Structure formats: structure tokens, C-alpha cells
Amino acid sequence: MNTLYWYAGAALAEISGCFAFWAWLRLGRSGWWTVPGMVSLLVFALLLARTEAAFAGRAYAAYGGVYMAASLLWLWGVEQIQPDRWDWLGAGLCLVGAAVILWGPRPA
């Protein structure tokens, strides 16, 4: 269960860090937005490295599903655009895939 908390924190850090660059380049905000963006992306990397997965590639693959779902929550909460049913269906499929990657039976 700790892995889910690490992934949630990593997703928030990554999305907010990337959004800082989006705000600078796409929304015309000050270049100073990139400073907290870079700090946030550093925090993202540190949090993702804390997951309990035995291999980095597997941790990153499973994280992808969490990232997609978290991005839709960002879209809804921060950008005030409600995801549609296809967004939620896609996120659900991604989360199922992440669960299979993380917790699927592995040969000993």
C-alpha cells in the first residue's frame, strides 16, 4: 500500500512541475514559474525512487497508469474541465494495467 502513496505524491509533483512549464510556455506566465517547476520535478524523481518495486522499469510502467488518472484529477480540479466518461474509462483501464504490473504473480 505504501507504493500507492509514493505514486500519488510523485504524480502530484510531476504534474505540478510540468504544469509550471506549461504555464510559462503556453499561458504566458513569467519564466520564474520554472523554478518551482524544477524543484517539483526533482521531488517527483525522489518520490518515484521510493516505491517498493524490485525493478525501476516495472515501477515506472506501473506509475504510468497512476499518472494518467492523476492527470485527469488535475484537469478537473486545477483546470476546471470535467473529464468525460471516455477519460475515466481510459484511466480505469490504465489503473488495472498498473495493478497487474505491480501485483501480478511472478515466478520465484
Side-chain angles (χ1 to χ4, degrees):
M1 203 60 166
N2 271 345
T3 295
L4 295 179
Y5 295 121
W6 290 121
Y7 278 165
L12 180 61
E14 183 181 14
I15 295 165
S16 59
C18 290
F19 185 77
F21 281 83
W22 180 278
W24 168 50
L25 291 171
R26 303 283 302 266
L27 302 178
R29 304 283 164 71
S30 165
W32 287 105
W33 273 66
T34 62
V35 175
M38 287 185 283
V39 171
S40 187
L41 290 171
L42 174 66
V43 169
F44 151 70
L46 293 171
L47 292 175
L48 191 56
R50 302 287 301 166
T51 62
E52 297 168 9
F55 301 98
R58 194 166 284 144
Y60 304 157
Y63 167 72
V66 175
Y67 176 82
M68 288 183 205
S71 295
L72 292 178
L73 293 174
W74 181 276
L75 174 70
W76 194 8
V78 174
E79 297 182 78
Q80 301 295 302
I81 303 296
Q82 177 142 4
D84 62 27
R85 64 182 170 176
W86 300 108
D87 293 325
W88 292 123
L89 177 62
L93 291 171
C94 291
L95 289 172
V96 168
V100 169
I101 290 168
L102 275 179
W103 298 304
R106 306 261 185 254

